[in-house]
Amino acid sequence: MPEGHRTTLKDIAESLGVSVNTVSRALSDKDSVGVETRNRVKAEAERLGYVPNVTARSLVLGSASTLGMVITNPSNPFYAQLISGMEQHCRKHGYSLLLMATEESLDNERRAAEELLRRGVDGVLVVTVQEGAEHWRRFRSAGVPLVLISRDVPELNTDLVGVDHVLGGYEAARHAIARGARKICFLEEDLGVSSVTDRVAGYHRAMAEAGLPVEPDTVIKVPTRRLEQSAMPWDPGEAYRLAKDVLRTARRPMAFVAGNDYFALGVYRVADEAGLRIPEDVLVVGYGGHPFAPYVIPSLTTVELPAAEIAVSAVDHMLRRLTRPPAEGPPEKILFPPRLVERASSGGGR
């Protein structure tokens, strides 16, 4: 075969002197082809380096055995765990996972949606940028199930599997309050998505329950780096700069609650430069349960997210939808509770 030529059924047929139909049936293990012929065809296909055209096969069978996954930033440790867990669970059930990243860009998300429709995937698991929904409605119109992950888009009226971030923000703030903090600074990413607004809502709920005021300077939005770089969604440097400004005020916070563990690293450096001890002078609580949390000094109290459970649940939910029309049954919202892991930065554990 010429270099660069993709071997076809016709090539195998001509090499063996049989029909294309015979080759096709032999490679599909049809009983209408004798064992000897089947073995000859398979051996010749292997010799010629034949690779089945999955797209063409999916057109014949009406199924690609492929699920699309659209993620905003695969370097986010939580999303990286989701990708790994979903890919493993898809493989277990005979499906492939086609991954696309949007980097929080609506244009990228629209292009990803168009490409997945073109490829004829069986269903789509998506962490949306939460701007616009029309491109996702096209999947519903085409009868392709759509399961949202982590972030909700209410106008889509479709299934959601994610984290109860309201509970996560609430537990983080309540823990600091239980440890004696009365002024709590909440550092959160400046990004208009439901996971962020839910965590802030949880913080407000904990403060209200404790009868503590939320002062104007205590909820601080940290500029996002997601729109500028794909290597890492968060920058401890911005949290460091803003926390430094906060510690210059006359009434310092007794605790910092960070919307992710990377922001907590910025607070650690500020405290060290200011001669403040953690947790004796200031408590620090992170969010995300990133791998470094147990190894920084002092070890970081954080809210761990159940990525593995969400991955399995989302795929299982999608597979159930594939066995019945998407319009059948109301949309379901499944939120898994996060877990606060107490360590030295808030005065407990090691």
Side-chain angles (χ1 to χ4, degrees):
M1 293 294 168
E3 185 176 350
H5 172 77
R6 177 170 179 155
T7 302
T8 66
L9 296 181
K10 183 180 179 182
D11 294 328
I12 301 170
E14 290 178 350
S15 176
L16 294 174
V18 299
S19 70
V20 172
N21 188 40
T22 297
V23 172
S24 176
R25 286 185 286 117
L27 293 177
S28 300
D29 286 322
K30 300 294 184 182
D31 292 336
S32 56
V33 181
V35 174
E36 182 181 347
T37 301
R38 262 187 282 171
N39 290 341
R40 284 179 59 222
V41 168
K42 288 181 179 180
E44 188 66 3
E46 183 175 352
R47 186 184 74 81
L48 295 176
Y50 172 72
V51 178
N53 187 324
V54 176
T55 301
R57 184 173 182 270
S58 70
L59 292 174
V60 174
L61 299 178
S63 171
S65 295
T66 301
L67 299 180
M69 184 178 187
V70 180
I71 210 85
T72 54
N73 191 312
S75 67
N76 179 329
F78 172 63
Y79 292 157
Q81 292 177 64
L82 282 182
I83 294 167
S84 177
M86 288 180 180
E87 196 281 330
Q88 291 180 44
H89 206 54
C90 281
R91 191 184 331 126
K92 177 181 174 183
H93 290 277
Y95 280 81
S96 298
L97 192 68
L98 179 59
L99 177 66
M100 295 190 173
T102 64
E103 305 298 348
E104 300 290 354
S105 163
L106 179 58
D107 287 340
N108 288 347
E109 183 174 279
R110 285 173 175 154
R111 281 192 287 268
E114 184 66 32
E115 179 67 11
L116 292 174
L117 274 173
R118 189 181 69 81
R119 287 175 179 256
V121 296
D122 297 301
V124 181
L125 305 147
V126 57
V127 178
T128 77
V129 300
Q130 293 194 298
E131 294 180 44
E134 193 57 40
H135 49 292
W136 296 124
R137 287 197 184 95
R138 293 178 61 196
F139 286 84
R140 299 292 298 275
S141 301
V144 179
L146 186 71
V147 175
L148 301 180
I149 310 296
S150 187
R151 300 176 181 178
D152 196 10
V153 182
E155 58 265 39
L156 281 176
N157 195 35
T158 193
D159 300 314
L160 168 72
V161 181
V163 179
D164 187 342
H165 287 294
V166 174
L167 178 62
Y170 171 77
E171 292 291 352
R174 188 176 72 160
H175 175 70
I177 293 168
R179 283 291 177 180
R182 290 299 173 263
K183 182 178 180 182
I184 301 172
C185 180
F186 195 94
L187 289 166
E188 186 52 90
E189 187 175 15
D190 189 10
L191 190 66
V193 296
S194 61
S195 51
V196 170
T197 57
D198 284 352
R199 282 193 292 269
V200 174
Y203 161 79
H204 278 278
R205 175 182 153 198
M207 296 293 281
E209 282 187 5
L212 298 174
V214 176
E215 300 173 24
D217 63 340
T218 52
V219 177
I220 299 177
K221 291 296 183 73
V222 182
T224 184
R225 287 289 175 261
R226 299 192 197 206
L227 307 182
E228 300 171 14
Q229 60 182 20
S230 59
M232 180 53 63
W234 304 297
D235 182 0
E238 289 293 340
Y240 162 80
R241 179 180 62 79
L242 292 169
K244 194 170 187 177
D245 291 341
V246 170
L247 288 178
R248 290 194 183 106
T249 63
R251 184 170 172 240
R252 290 174 170 171
M254 298 173 65
F256 281 94
V257 173
N260 64 75
D261 291 343
Y262 289 91
F263 290 170
L265 294 181
V267 175
Y268 269 46
R269 179 174 175 181
V270 169
D272 181 65
E273 290 179 356
L276 299 174
R277 298 166 301 164
I278 302 173
E280 292 84 359
D281 301 319
V282 61
L283 308 177
V284 182
V285 180
Y287 199 94
H290 298 319
F292 60 79
Y295 301 103
V296 293
I297 299 176
S299 57
L300 178 63
T301 293
T302 186
V303 177
E304 289 189 348
L305 308 180
E309 292 90 334
I310 291 170
V312 170
S313 177
V315 173
D316 283 345
H317 197 79
M318 173 61 74
L319 295 178
R320 286 195 296 273
R321 285 296 186 195
L322 287 171
T323 63
R324 60 185 183 184
E328 245 183 54
E332 299 179 38
K333 298 195 185 299
I334 304 169
L335 298 181
F336 286 83
R339 181 174 71 98
L340 186 131
V341 179
E342 186 177 349
R343 296 194 180 98
S345 69
S346 63
R350 297 178 57 186

